[in-house]
């Protein structure tokens, strides 16, 4: 079975400081990893994804994420946080193994609330 | 460009009533998903579909049924609503392929009293 863990319920950062939102995953086949953001009373918006290749992927609004296969992690980062980055962030994994029962399932973590203070 | 549209946006049901949530996408996506979002639980997959006429169970399928008679529509049914089904429901769709991102609707807030 595949799963995603986001160990922090909330991350607090001062504006202008770097931020990291942590994500670890478990999947039997090749992982396809995604980050989404949710603003209040809205649906989820796609930020970035890792499919293959370079371990550092860049996405929308200055966010980037680093894939680490040995640590099964896909942490979201941003060099300089903005107050407008305050939102709920979700990590997700899709199982790319066609022989497993979980092929095509898109599974999300519990979410991490990011609070950026002026 | 409408994207993913969910109907209705809000609904209050009495215990034991039934209802159907409609998800429609205009992007010609193969894959469609239904999730529920509860505080502290994140998004949990209820059912999903990888093409017209196909459906599969997700993490929390009990108490729900789905149908995908047309490629653009994915219906989620509650046959006999229970207070435990009070939640925000999200539909999503994506192109075929495990590396494609999903697009989400705005959600349906369902309260069962």
């Amino acid at each position: 079975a595949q799963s995603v863990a986001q160990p922090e319920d909330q991350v607090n950062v001062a504006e202008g400081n770097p931020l990291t939102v942590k994500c670890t995953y478990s999947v039997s086949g090749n992982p396809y990893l995604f980050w989404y953001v949710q603003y209040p009373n809205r649906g989820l918006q796609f930020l970035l994804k890792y499919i293959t290749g370079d371990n550092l992927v860049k996405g929308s609004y200055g966010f980037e994420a680093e894939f680490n296969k040995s640590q099964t992690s896909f942490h979201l980062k941003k060099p300089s946080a903005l107050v407008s980055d305050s939102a709920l962030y979700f990590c997700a994994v899709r199982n790319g193994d066609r022989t497993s029962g979980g092929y095509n399932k898109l599974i999300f973590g519990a979410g991490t609330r990011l609070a950026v203070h002026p | 460009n409408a994207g993913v549209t969910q109907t209705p946006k809000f609904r209050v049901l009495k215990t034991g009533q039934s209802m159907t949530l409609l998800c429609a996408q205009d992007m010609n996506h193969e894959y469609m998903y239904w999730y529920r979002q509860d505080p502290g639980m994140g998004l949990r997959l209820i059912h999903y579909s990888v093409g017209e006429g196909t459906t599969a169970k997700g993490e929390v399928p009990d108490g729900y049924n789905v149908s995908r008679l047309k490629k653009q529509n994915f219906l989620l049914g509650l046959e006999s609503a229970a207070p435990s089904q009070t939640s925000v429901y999200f539909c999503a769709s994506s192109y075929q392929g495990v590396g494609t991102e999903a697009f989400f609707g705005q959600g349906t807030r369902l309260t069962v009293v």
Side-chain angles (χ1 to χ4, degrees):
Chain A
Q2 65 202 82
S3 64
V4 176
Q6 293 182 240
E8 302 152 317
D9 290 337
Q10 179 153 331
V11 171
N12 296 297
V13 177
E15 188 174 33
N17 282 1
L19 69 87
T20 298
V21 182
K22 296 180 180 177
C23 170
T24 59
Y25 66 90
S26 174
V27 69
S28 59
N30 289 326
Y32 295 82
L33 297 155
F34 305 83
W35 275 102
Y36 289 82
V37 60
Q38 184 182 34
Y39 297 101
N41 299 314
R42 302 292 299 274
L44 277 69
Q45 298 175 29
F46 169 75
L47 276 180
L48 50 79
K49 64 182 178 183
Y50 171 81
I51 305 303
T52 186
D54 199 353
N55 288 343
L56 185 65
V57 293
K58 296 185 183 296
S60 307
Y61 313 119
F63 283 93
E64 56 190 30
E66 187 168 10
F67 171 67
N68 188 315
K69 188 173 183 178
S70 63
Q71 296 185 4
T72 61
S73 67
F74 188 55
H75 300 331
L76 181 69
K77 301 181 179 183
K78 188 174 183 180
S80 179
L82 298 172
V83 173
S84 57
D85 292 330
S86 299
L88 190 55
Y89 290 81
F90 289 97
C91 181
V93 65
R94 193 181 250 150
N95 190 344
D97 181 1
R98 286 182 178 271
T99 64
S100 78
Y103 182 66
N104 279 322
K105 282 185 182 178
L106 181 60
I107 301 298
F108 284 78
T112 298
R113 187 163 300 282
L114 174 66
V116 182
H117 305 285
Chain B
N1 189 359
V4 180
T5 303
Q6 293 183 230
T7 309
K9 290 183 171 49
F10 303 93
R11 185 72 185 269
V12 178
L13 282 181
K14 293 182 178 179
T15 298
Q17 286 184 320
S18 64
M19 79 163 294
T20 300
L21 281 66
L22 171 63
C23 177
Q25 53 94 2
D26 61 0
M27 296 173 281
N28 202 34
H29 285 168
E30 289 289 338
Y31 299 170
M32 296 188 76
Y33 304 83
W34 274 109
Y35 294 89
R36 59 177 290 174
Q37 183 178 21
D38 303 292
M41 304 292 288
L43 272 76
R44 291 181 291 171
L45 181 63
I46 305 171
H47 287 281
Y48 65 107
S49 167
V50 298
E52 182 178 322
T54 72
T55 62
K57 293 181 180 180
E59 302 170 285
V60 289
D62 294 342
Y64 304 94
N65 57 75
V66 288
S67 64
R68 183 104 182 263
L69 299 179
K70 294 183 178 181
K71 185 176 182 179
Q72 64 267 34
N73 295 336
F74 195 30
L75 278 63
L76 177 71
L78 287 73
E79 292 184 346
S80 179
S84 60
Q85 294 178 304
T86 293
S87 187
V88 180
Y89 292 85
F90 285 100
C91 176
S93 69
S94 70
Y95 287 111
Q96 189 174 15
V98 289
T100 60
E101 61 269 26
F103 294 80
F104 280 78
Q106 293 301 296
T108 295
R109 186 173 295 276
L110 175 66
T111 302
V112 183
V113 297

